[in-house]
Amino acid sequence: MKILFVHQNFPAQFLHLAPEMQRRGHDCIALTDTTNNRSSEIRVVKYRHNSPAPDPQACRLGRNYTQMSDRGVTVARAAMQMREQGYVPDVIFGHSGWGETLFLKEVWPEAKLLVYAEFYYKGRGADVGFDPEFDRPNFDQVIIAQGRTTHLGQALLHADAGLSPTRWQASTYPPILRERIKVIFDGVDTGVMKPDPTATLTLPNGRVLKAGDEVLTFVNRNLEPYRGYHTFMRALPAIMAERPEAQVVIVGGDEVSYGRPAPEGQSWKNIYLDQVKDRLDMSRVHFMGKVPYPTFVSMMQVSRVHAYLTYPFVLSWSMLEAMGAGCMVVGSRTAPVAELIEDGVNGRLVDFFDVEGWSKMITRALARPERFMDLRRAARETIVKGYDLRTVCLPQMVEWVESFGPSA
């Protein structure tokens, strides 16, 4: 069958699915933004989107919908050109987060439309108002959060089905929409992300760390409050004072992926580093920036303790990959993390805001690694049995997509 993948940052969540569907004999094409230069194993068609940002004064609560629907119109017009050239897909699978799928049923009503339903904004019980340091709960936030869901609800209502990576993320959708969602994680390649007692990691200063060394790791796409960077940095002075041989390896950029930007001219990385810098041995703190995937793999394989924190929000792939590598993961006691980590069974959980608790737990795990070997083994077993790319997630996703084909 003909499958059209739609994502402004393709391949993204379709990294493994799209080439697998093509290998299975399906005719696969990706529709993506012209600014996206990532490599692809399937044929790519690009659309050009240059709509001006909406005026917040004029749009008010409609600003987000205006922005997303503008992109949806751009994508629909590109789709119309494809249709006029004779292209009609059997199945469309697109991410609903940027509005790209909103009007595709108007172009191809005969196609089955599937949307990647990653997260549905909520004014209560999720990220909004979670961290009082930045956002104290108020009614305006609740209204704004609901306003941000308009395109997400519309996308799923007009789709034939949705897919979410975790049960908690699916649960953020209202019950009437949640019924339309299948839960399948993207998958962890446990053949790559696995323990390796011979692994090494070369730091920017030339020092080489190896498996078995006292290494504390922390990974985010960008170093920011949504992923607990401020809590982690505030816990570091006590950890490093107690563990004078520990090496701290931090991966992440200086930009913002989620939430509010840092004050003008500053970065969250430096704001929270500056708060504790005079109490840290900076020769043992290694900021790696953004790293290639093989470097990330090696980092997880040499890690003695991996810290992962997140607001109640989208769960990072990196946490599951760390578990797959057999890391001793100390995670925040927030709903997305607790779906995967059972405290004392396959990792440890600490309250997101408990700086002292983070210091004590990480120090314990660094000091006595032999006491946590069962948790490390259980962490990997959790991923191998329930989230493995090749044996669990990809086969489930392939079966789900093929179930919408014309011969199903």
Side-chain angles (χ1 to χ4, degrees):
M1 63 180 173
K2 294 181 180 179
I3 306 174
L4 176 66
F5 293 95
V6 184
H7 197 303
Q8 52 93 30
N9 199 32
F10 186 86
Q13 285 87 358
F14 307 125
L15 174 65
H16 302 292
L17 177 64
E20 178 64 19
M21 298 305 286
Q22 183 159 276
R23 280 191 289 270
R24 292 174 64 83
H26 300 295
D27 180 4
C28 298
I29 297 177
L31 181 59
T32 190
D33 195 297
T34 53
T35 61
N36 178 15
N37 296 314
R38 288 167 175 78
S39 61
S40 170
E41 295 185 41
I42 69 170
R43 186 161 72 91
V44 171
V45 176
K46 294 189 175 184
Y47 65 83
R48 183 179 299 278
H49 181 64
N50 54 11
S51 179
D55 179 359
Q57 294 297 323
C59 294
R60 296 183 297 282
L61 283 176
R63 178 176 59 171
N64 189 67
Y65 183 76
T66 299
Q67 185 175 354
M68 302 307 174
S69 59
D70 280 354
R71 183 178 288 272
V73 170
T74 297
V75 173
R77 286 173 175 159
M80 278 300 298
Q81 292 181 350
M82 296 172 71
R83 172 147 204 149
E84 288 166 359
Q85 294 167 7
Y87 178 75
V88 178
D90 298 300
V91 173
I92 306 164
F93 194 0
H95 197 298
S96 63
W98 294 274
E100 292 168 295
T101 67
L102 286 176
F103 309 114
L104 292 181
K105 272 284 195 179
E106 305 305 319
V107 180
W108 291 299
E110 62 272 74
K112 296 294 185 181
L113 176 60
L114 312 178
V115 297
Y116 193 91
E118 189 168 28
F119 186 74
Y120 195 88
Y121 293 103
K122 301 174 69 173
R124 301 182 179 95
D127 56 324
V128 174
F130 172 75
D131 192 339
E133 185 171 339
F134 301 98
D135 293 303
R136 294 195 174 276
N138 63 73
F139 190 58
D140 284 355
Q141 287 183 330
V142 173
I143 294 173
I144 291 168
Q146 187 183 120
R148 294 181 69 189
T149 67
T150 308
H151 74 288
L152 301 172
Q154 180 183 343
L156 191 50
L157 280 170
H158 287 269
D160 292 277
L163 184 83
S164 288
T166 70
R167 295 188 301 275
W168 182 80
Q169 285 169 240
S171 77
T172 62
Y173 282 77
I176 195 169
L177 296 178
R178 170 66 184 88
E179 295 172 358
R180 305 169 66 86
I181 297 174
K182 177 82 169 177
V183 176
I184 307 173
F185 189 70
D186 306 303
V188 176
D189 190 341
T190 59
V192 173
M193 194 57 73
K194 62 184 178 180
D196 181 0
T198 68
T200 61
L201 175 69
T202 302
L203 300 174
N205 64 5
R207 177 168 180 163
V208 178
L209 303 178
K210 62 183 184 301
D213 289 346
E214 189 171 346
V215 180
L216 169 61
T217 55
F218 182 84
V219 174
N220 289 153
R221 182 186 306 168
N222 287 296
L223 302 175
E224 56 187 329
Y226 254 64
R227 299 306 194 190
Y229 173 69
H230 53 328
T231 298
F232 177 75
M233 292 304 293
R234 289 165 180 169
L236 263 190
I239 296 169
M240 297 186 73
E242 289 290 326
R243 306 303 304 165
E245 300 301 318
Q247 301 291 322
V248 183
V249 184
I250 300 172
V251 162
D254 295 344
E255 302 164 352
V256 175
S257 298
Y258 313 107
R260 68 177 62 187
E264 187 173 354
Q266 302 181 65
S267 68
W268 291 124
K269 170 191 169 183
N270 289 331
I271 287 173
Y272 293 110
L273 175 59
D274 289 344
Q275 287 184 5
V276 298
K277 196 172 186 178
D278 61 343
R279 292 179 286 147
L280 298 178
D281 175 1
M282 290 303 297
S283 70
R284 295 191 285 127
V285 180
H286 311 281
F287 286 94
M288 305 281 284
K290 296 182 178 181
V291 300
Y293 191 71
T295 301
F296 168 70
V297 173
S298 297
M299 182 177 166
M300 294 299 95
Q301 290 169 333
V302 304
S303 177
R304 181 177 293 185
V305 178
H306 180 69
Y308 176 77
L309 301 90
T310 184
Y311 285 12
F313 192 60
V314 172
L315 188 66
S316 305
W317 292 347
S318 65
M319 191 196 83
L320 285 85
E321 290 175 310
M323 294 173 69
C327 284
M328 170 54 205
V329 179
V330 181
S332 58
R333 190 177 280 107
T334 47
V337 179
E339 182 174 332
L340 272 290
I341 295 180
E342 184 178 353
D343 189 30
V345 176
N346 58 357
R348 293 307 308 265
L349 298 177
V350 179
D351 183 273
F352 184 96
F353 303 105
D354 184 2
V355 172
E356 183 179 358
W358 279 95
S359 297
K360 289 181 176 179
M361 181 57 69
I362 290 173
T363 297
R364 284 178 55 199
L366 288 171
R368 302 295 298 272
E370 70 280 359
R371 292 189 174 184
F372 296 89
M373 289 306 298
D374 287 348
L375 274 64
R376 297 179 69 142
R377 285 189 285 268
R380 176 166 171 79
E381 185 178 7
T382 297
I383 301 305
V384 170
K385 288 186 174 180
Y387 299 87
D388 180 73
L389 173 67
R390 303 296 173 190
T391 63
V392 180
C393 299
L394 192 56
Q396 288 180 1
M397 206 172 296
V398 166
E399 180 181 13
W400 183 70
V401 173
E402 289 184 338
S403 73
F404 293 94
S407 60

